[in-house]
Amino acid sequence: MRYISTRGEAPSRDFEGVLLAGLAEDGGLFVPESWPVLTSAEWRELRGLPYADLAARIVSLFTGGQPDHATLLPMLRRAYAGFGHPAVAPLVQLDARVFALELFHGPTLAFKDMAMQALGPLFDHVLARRGERVTIVGATSGDTGSAAIEACRDRAAIDIVILHPEGRTSLVQRRQMTTVLAPNVANLAIEGSFDDCQDLVKAMFADAPFRQDMHLSAVNSINWARIALQIPYYVASALALGAPDREVAFSVPTGNFGNVLAAWAARRMGLPIAQLLIGSNRNDILARFLSGNDMTMRTVEPSFSPSMDIQVSSNFERLLFELLGRDAAATAETMRRFRAEGRMPVPDAAWRSATQVFRGFALDDAGTLAEIRRLHRQGYLADPHTAIGTAAAMASPPSDPAIPIVVAATAHPAKFPDAVRQATGIEAPLPSRLADLYERPERFSRLPADLGQVEAFVRRHTLRNVA
Ligand SMILES: Cc1ncc(COP(=O)(O)O)c(C=O)c1O
Ligand SMILES: N[C@@H](CCOP(=O)(O)O)C(=O)O
């Protein structure tokens, strides 16, 4: 299995190479050179497997034997053993047709743990075999950061620096990151938005000497390994609801487009997914694109679903590459114009083919609170991101009523206590292991969104740990 860049100007790599590289040298994202496609019989064979076993089967389709299934299986069994639910990612029925796929039973209470808990040991395995170490730089709007820090803390071959937008995460999200005092972990509060943080990360990767010196790697969903590890829960939930003998739809609260891209990948692999609903908050660039081919950047606005306060959805580039018939030059030019002009010129035919699979939906803060309240009256306590997913499912269900809709429940309500309290009057308690989160000492530094200063910080952090 080889991986190529969506921009066509970087050398192809194997899975391990892609894991360590994160972003391609030409600024593009790695995608499989060809997609594995399973037959109905092969999908059926996966039914009933424990989650970790199913994940090992799916992920090994993307590793090309390095690491092989025999290595992945115990690694993933250990990774998911600590989850707070025996099913790892349970399906909860919300009404006759809508299900919540709870992806928040990992240590940091968001769907990011589903991939990160496996990614930490995967990095260790590959780095130990090669005798190498890496410095991971990551951007977070709140959840990736804590999951990545939890997965990488105290690992001897990894230094990690996470950039978050100052004052734009929930307090729980911030403290989950900044109270981890492990020496290999550093947090930077950046004066700016998540998009500024993500741009800084990409700029560090584009600085070739810095990238090489620091052995930079990534844990954001620009790293293909993240996507590969997010595909299995779509497979598991679809199989549980009758696939491959029944179609299903997914509704995914979306920001950086990594989670819904994993669902799209499962569909590309032959899983019968009728429709993908994309839920956005007031940062509705994806909804505007799907309704009228208008991918115009606006300023990022803070919302009650801060993890989706994003305008530049990195993984959209992977979809764009497919929509453009895998034409890397056209993808590179489209991305260049998006950054230069603030509007992505997607050809009409490509846009139309996107709208056959995806539907967009946007909800403002008042609507989000109303949806949390509606769900609560029905006996389900949802976080604001999940509520946008359920609202999307109610607003644009597939026309065939026999198709169930699975909503990705991406975070535990306790991560967003203010919105949940405003909507329901309920205090969603943190699990006991996080009960003293507000008392723990914090450590983080503040910087403007300035590449030179951020690089100097990353260099100091790494050198201190290597010395
Ligand atoms: C709770 C939550 N929901 C939804 C999203 C959006 O997911 P994605 O960025 O993969 O589109 C995020 C951030 O990634 C998140 O943390
Ligand atoms: N919502 C995310 C943003 C980064 O997403 P990623 O999936 O690309 O890591 C967050 O919580 O940080």
Side-chain angles (χ1 to χ4, degrees):
M1 169 67 82
R2 303 289 298 175
Y3 290 84
I4 52 174
S5 165
T6 49
R7 301 194 188 175
E9 299 286 336
S12 74
R13 283 194 163 79
D14 62 8
F15 179 81
E16 282 193 2
V18 162
L19 169 77
L20 296 182
L23 193 65
E25 290 84 348
D26 58 2
L29 275 65
F30 284 110
V31 288
E33 200 166 39
S34 63
W35 290 97
V37 175
L38 277 67
T39 62
S40 294
E42 287 169 328
W43 288 120
R44 277 189 211 105
E45 247 180 61
L46 300 173
R47 275 186 185 152
L49 285 179
Y51 185 78
D53 296 32
L54 178 133
R57 293 276 288 273
I58 298 293
V59 174
S60 56
L61 296 172
F62 291 99
T63 59
Q66 193 74 275
D68 62 8
H69 180 262
T71 308
L72 281 170
L73 185 60
M75 194 187 284
L76 296 189
R77 282 183 178 165
R78 271 195 301 277
Y80 296 117
F83 275 53
H85 195 288
V88 182
L91 267 179
V92 176
Q93 186 153 15
L94 299 181
D95 67 26
R97 191 177 178 188
V98 179
F99 296 78
L101 172 61
E102 292 188 340
L103 302 172
F104 53 71
H105 292 283
T108 69
L109 311 178
F111 81 92
K112 311 291 177 166
D113 291 324
M114 298 294 298
M116 291 299 184
Q117 282 297 298
L119 210 53
L122 195 55
F123 265 109
D124 258 2
H125 169 80
V126 173
L127 292 171
R129 211 176 54 70
R130 296 181 171 218
E132 293 175 13
R133 54 181 294 124
V134 287
T135 296
I136 289 173
V137 287
T140 189
S141 53
D143 291 325
T144 291
S146 49
I149 287 170
E150 189 57 36
C152 296
R153 60 190 292 173
D154 298 312
R155 291 191 189 271
I158 299 178
D159 289 303
I160 180 164
V161 180
I162 295 292
L163 282 60
H164 71 266
E166 182 165 25
R168 298 206 189 191
T169 67
S170 80
L171 189 59
V172 174
Q173 287 179 312
R174 188 187 85 206
R175 289 193 140 264
Q176 279 183 308
M177 296 188 279
T178 57
T179 59
V180 176
L181 305 180
N184 69 329
V185 171
N187 280 287
L188 268 181
I190 297 291
E191 293 162 17
S193 66
F194 168 78
D195 285 354
D196 296 320
C197 297
Q198 183 159 247
D199 283 349
L200 284 163
V201 166
K202 288 183 178 171
M204 284 188 260
F205 276 92
D207 179 345
F210 181 76
R211 176 183 184 149
Q212 258 168 20
D213 269 16
M214 294 292 105
H215 299 281
L216 282 196
S217 193
V219 282
N220 280 109
S221 57
I222 52 175
N223 192 324
W224 171 259
R226 274 278 308 280
I227 306 293
L229 283 158
Q230 290 176 186
I231 297 171
Y233 48 76
Y234 291 106
V235 175
S237 54
L239 295 179
L241 291 173
D245 305 305
R246 183 193 194 194
E247 285 190 304
V248 296
F250 287 99
S251 178
V252 186
T254 295
N256 221 12
F257 210 79
N259 206 9
V260 77
L261 188 95
W264 179 88
R267 186 177 188 274
R268 182 66 188 75
M269 293 164 70
L271 198 66
I273 297 176
Q275 201 158 41
L276 293 170
L277 307 172
I278 290 179
S280 306
N281 58 31
R282 71 172 70 139
N283 298 290
D284 61 351
I285 186 166
L286 293 166
R288 281 185 282 119
F289 167 68
L290 288 164
S291 65
N293 197 1
D294 172 20
M295 180 84 93
T296 309
M297 248 187 261
R298 293 184 185 155
T299 316
V300 181
E301 301 279 348
S303 78
F304 280 156
S305 44
S307 303
M308 307 195 316
D309 292 346
I310 296 176
Q311 288 283 319
V312 181
S313 304
S314 286
N315 281 282
F316 187 81
E317 180 166 343
R318 288 189 165 112
L319 178 69
L320 179 70
F321 177 70
E322 302 289 345
L323 295 173
L324 296 177
R326 301 202 129 209
D327 181 337
T331 306
E333 176 58 12
T334 307
M335 292 307 297
R336 190 195 63 72
R337 286 187 56 191
F338 182 46
R339 297 315 297 234
E341 297 162 15
R343 184 170 186 280
M344 191 181 292
V346 179
D348 214 49
W351 170 70
R352 276 184 204 291
S353 77
T355 59
Q356 279 163 20
V357 182
F358 294 94
R359 266 191 212 170
F361 171 82
L363 195 63
D364 62 12
D365 279 349
T368 305
L369 294 186
E371 178 64 2
I372 297 175
R373 207 170 297 123
R374 183 188 75 82
L375 290 165
H376 180 236
R377 280 197 210 105
Q378 293 186 359
Y380 191 76
L381 196 58
D383 96 288
H385 306 76
T386 303
I388 291 176
T390 58
M394 302 306 285
S396 330
S399 50
D400 178 352
I403 296 178
I405 311 171
V406 178
V407 178
T410 49
H412 191 288
K415 281 197 109 162
F416 305 95
D418 296 345
V420 170
R421 192 184 315 109
Q422 267 196 58
T424 64
I426 297 258
E427 289 291 337
L430 284 166
S432 53
R433 71 193 142 74
L434 290 174
D436 65 343
L437 187 68
Y438 293 104
E439 280 85 60
R440 294 179 191 172
E442 286 188 276
R443 187 182 68 205
F444 66 98
S445 304
R446 286 189 183 83
L447 281 182
D450 175 85
L451 181 62
Q453 293 189 50
V454 172
E455 284 189 347
F457 180 93
V458 172
R459 201 179 278 280
R460 277 198 306 276
H461 172 69
T462 299
L463 291 181
R464 194 174 39 239
N465 290 325
V466 172

